[in-house]
């Protein structure tokens, strides 16, 4: 091994252990668990609030004694047949002379969306909102009862349902999988590559970076730091992958063996198997997982190199944070572009996202979920590798000028010239 490579691996091992071998790394490793837990709690609370509000709503039908049961039967028949959200619960009341539908609609204790009264042939419907779905549903109930009476006692239809299936996973499901891949790469890259800024700020504050610069070439320091952070990122991904696989195996052991046997018998053909195990990417799970890891590495190297190169230009933690903000904004913009590309595969937006180097890893990961072509990913990885080399080369020069200057200055070209002159001496 050449001295240059040896220095790179020495710095990488030092940075890797400096991050991993600390108690705070455990908190960082479990950060997604806290995020998921807080998100689940918020979602559960919102769901409970929505269910509570939905349960308090009602629609009321004030009808004669002969119309109550037909309306109840029509409601039971039509409610399950309607697509989307179901109408509010139907409350039936026997008509009386002193019953005012407006007063019923304003009763406290429940949200009343619509009240129907009068004869079914010409009912009066009081709505909370004009043209509401609840009022239309009450009118549909009245029409259905009148239609049944006009036709006499008709037996309910006994249809024979046939299922028309298409082999493989649906396009919408694969697009959702591609959008999930975009989000995972974006979140992991932003979460893990940002660690380089904090480490660089700490080392510039306690002068450790100057000791490293005196011991080994700055190019080795830069590449070693980038390689060490990549090792931390891969360890992070491996930990959560093992947690997910372990959780899945534990969940399978808790299932009823009889249910598993029945599920296996019901999944005899390939379509049922695909439905039983969820969404399948167009390129297959093994290739999709490997290509996602490759695209994550490319995205991480691009963003990590930019963070190190630009972060070295700042002299204080505050300046590092200010310089990191445009990079974060750029990454969020790339995420928005790739989200649009994932929802519209094959479009011009998807093509643009796949060409732009900073969005190409995420966009190509989304393409792997909807397009079964595999050779194009080798071309994309080569294109991204070229840009990684260019960005690393430029970031090394910025890193060298920022470290050798030892102070904050926005004249990068002057600092680069001084750094080169110092190197020549």
């Amino acid at each position: 091994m050449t001295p240059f490579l040896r220095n790179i691996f020495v710095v990488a091992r030092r940075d890797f252990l400096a991050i991993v071998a600390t108690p705070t790394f455990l908190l960082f490793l479990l950060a997604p668990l806290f995020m998921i837990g807080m998100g689940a709690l918020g979602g559960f609370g919102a769901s409970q609030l929505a269910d509570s509000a939905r349960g308090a709503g009602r629609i009321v039908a004030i009808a004669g004694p002969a119309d109550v049961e037909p309306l109840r039967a029509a409601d039971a028949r039509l409610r399950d047949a309607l697509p989307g959200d179901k109408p509010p619960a139907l409350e039936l009341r026997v008509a009386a002379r002193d019953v005012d539908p407006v007063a019923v609609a304003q009763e406290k204790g429940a949200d009343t969306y619509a009240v129907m009264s009068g004869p079914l042939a010409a009912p009066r419907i009081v709505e909370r909102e004009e043209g509401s779905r609840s009022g239309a549903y009450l009118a549909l109930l009245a029409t259905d009862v009148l239609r049944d009476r006009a036709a006499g006692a008709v037996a309910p239809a006994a249809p024979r349902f046939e299922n028309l299936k298409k082999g493989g996973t649906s396009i919408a499901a694969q697009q959702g999988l591609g959008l999930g891949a975009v989000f995972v790469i974006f979140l992991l890259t932003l979460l893990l590559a940002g660690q380089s800024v904090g480490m660089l700020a700490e080392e510039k504050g306690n002068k450790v970076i100057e000791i490293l610069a005196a011991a080994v070439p700055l190019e080795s320091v830069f590449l070693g730091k980038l390689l060490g952070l990549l090792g931390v990122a891969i360890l992070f991904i491996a930990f959560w992958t093992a947690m997910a696989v372990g959780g899945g195996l534990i969940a399978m052991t808790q299932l009823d063996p009889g249910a598993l046997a029945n599920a296996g018998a019901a999944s005899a053909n390939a379509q049922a198997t695909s439905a039983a195990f969820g969404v399948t990417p167009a390129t297959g799970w093994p290739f999709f997982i490997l290509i996602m890891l490759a695209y994550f590495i490319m995205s991480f190297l691009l963003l990590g190199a930019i963070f190190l190169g630009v972060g070295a230009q700042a002299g204080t933690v505050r300046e590092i944070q200010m310089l990191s903000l445009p990079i974060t904004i750029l990454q969020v913009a790339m995420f928005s572009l790739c989200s649009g590309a994932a929802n519209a595969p094959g479009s011009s937006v998807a093509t643009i996202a796949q060409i732009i180097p900073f969005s190409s890893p995420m966009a190509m990961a989304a393409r792997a979920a909807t397009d079964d072509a595999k050779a194009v990913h080798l071309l994309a990885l080569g294109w991204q590798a070229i840009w990684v080399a260019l960005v690393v080369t430029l970031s090394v020069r910025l890193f060298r000028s920022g470290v050798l200057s030892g102070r904050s200055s926005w004249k990068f070209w002057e600092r680069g010239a001084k750094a080169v002159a110092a190197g020549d001496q």
Side-chain angles (χ1 to χ4, degrees):
M1 185 181 297
T2 62
F4 181 74
L5 292 178
R6 187 184 302 113
N7 292 332
I8 290 177
F9 284 108
V10 167
V11 176
R13 182 180 61 184
R14 171 196 170 273
D15 285 9
F16 179 82
L17 294 177
I19 296 176
V20 173
T22 56
T24 55
F25 180 72
L26 181 61
L27 296 177
F28 172 72
L29 201 62
L30 298 178
L33 189 62
F34 300 144
M35 296 168 59
I36 294 173
M38 296 302 295
L41 288 176
F44 178 76
S47 176
Q48 292 294 321
L49 184 60
D51 291 342
S52 176
R54 190 182 302 113
R58 67 175 182 175
I59 54 178
V60 181
I62 305 173
D67 297 332
V68 172
E69 290 303 324
L71 284 172
R72 181 176 287 110
D75 177 64
R77 182 170 58 253
L78 295 177
R79 183 175 295 271
D80 294 334
L82 292 177
D85 295 335
K86 304 303 178 185
L90 174 64
E91 180 180 328
L92 292 168
R93 296 187 183 184
V94 179
R97 293 183 178 179
D98 57 346
V99 176
D100 183 8
V102 177
V104 173
Q106 295 176 348
E107 289 179 352
K108 299 185 180 298
D111 290 330
T112 305
Y113 299 107
V115 178
M116 181 177 67
S117 62
L120 297 182
R124 175 190 178 188
I125 299 178
V126 178
E127 299 177 290
R128 172 181 290 186
E129 296 179 2
E130 182 180 359
S132 67
R133 185 180 180 187
S134 299
Y137 180 71
L138 288 175
L140 179 62
L141 289 180
T143 303
D144 190 73
V145 172
L146 293 176
R147 184 182 296 113
D148 286 347
R149 288 176 177 173
V154 179
R160 183 182 65 181
F161 293 97
E162 295 182 4
N163 199 2
L164 181 62
K165 291 184 177 179
K166 180 182 177 181
T169 306
S170 67
I171 297 299
Q174 289 180 344
Q175 290 180 6
L177 184 62
L179 184 60
V182 170
F183 178 75
V184 168
I185 293 179
F186 164 76
L187 182 64
L188 291 178
T189 303
L190 201 61
L191 179 66
L192 298 172
Q195 296 296 312
S196 60
V197 179
M199 176 178 290
L200 189 61
E202 180 182 353
E203 292 184 350
K204 291 193 74 172
N206 55 24
K207 307 300 181 181
V208 172
I209 192 69
E210 297 179 3
I211 299 175
L212 291 175
V216 296
L218 282 175
E219 292 79 4
S220 299
V221 175
F222 179 88
L223 295 176
K225 286 185 173 298
L226 193 59
L227 187 61
L229 290 170
L230 179 60
V232 174
I234 293 177
L235 175 63
F236 184 91
I237 295 174
F239 172 80
W240 280 105
T241 301
M243 290 284 289
V245 172
L249 293 176
I250 293 175
M252 290 181 63
T253 59
Q254 302 300 318
L255 294 178
D256 184 11
L260 289 176
N262 294 334
S267 304
N269 53 54
Q271 292 179 357
T273 302
S274 175
F277 287 95
V279 183
T280 302
T283 53
W285 277 114
F287 183 86
F288 182 71
I289 293 175
L290 290 177
I291 206 67
M292 265 197 65
L293 179 61
Y295 285 135
F296 166 75
I297 292 175
M298 290 297 177
S299 180
F300 182 88
L301 291 177
L302 279 171
L303 199 62
I306 294 176
F307 271 125
L308 284 174
V310 175
Q313 311 307 312
T316 63
V317 176
R318 181 178 180 181
E319 289 183 357
I320 288 179
Q321 293 174 346
M322 293 299 296
L323 287 173
S324 301
L325 182 60
I327 304 174
T328 304
I329 295 175
L330 172 65
Q331 192 67 2
V332 172
M334 295 297 100
F335 170 72
S336 301
L337 177 63
C338 292
S339 298
N343 291 323
S347 63
S348 57
V349 174
T351 303
I352 293 173
Q354 293 164 13
I355 294 176
I356 298 177
F358 298 103
S359 62
S360 180
M362 293 184 288
M364 290 303 299
R367 179 172 178 172
T370 57
D371 188 358
D372 58 356
K374 297 181 180 179
V376 67
H377 296 284
L378 298 178
L379 181 63
L381 289 175
W383 168 252
Q384 295 163 20
I386 294 174
W387 277 96
V388 167
L390 292 175
V391 171
V392 167
T393 302
L394 178 61
S395 297
V396 165
R397 295 181 63 87
L398 291 175
F399 184 81
R400 181 182 180 86
S401 64
V403 171
L404 290 181
S405 68
R407 58 185 179 85
S408 175
S409 175
W410 300 100
K411 298 180 180 180
F412 300 148
W413 55 89
E414 294 182 2
R415 294 167 57 183
K418 293 180 181 178
V420 172
D424 295 338
Q425 294 177 359

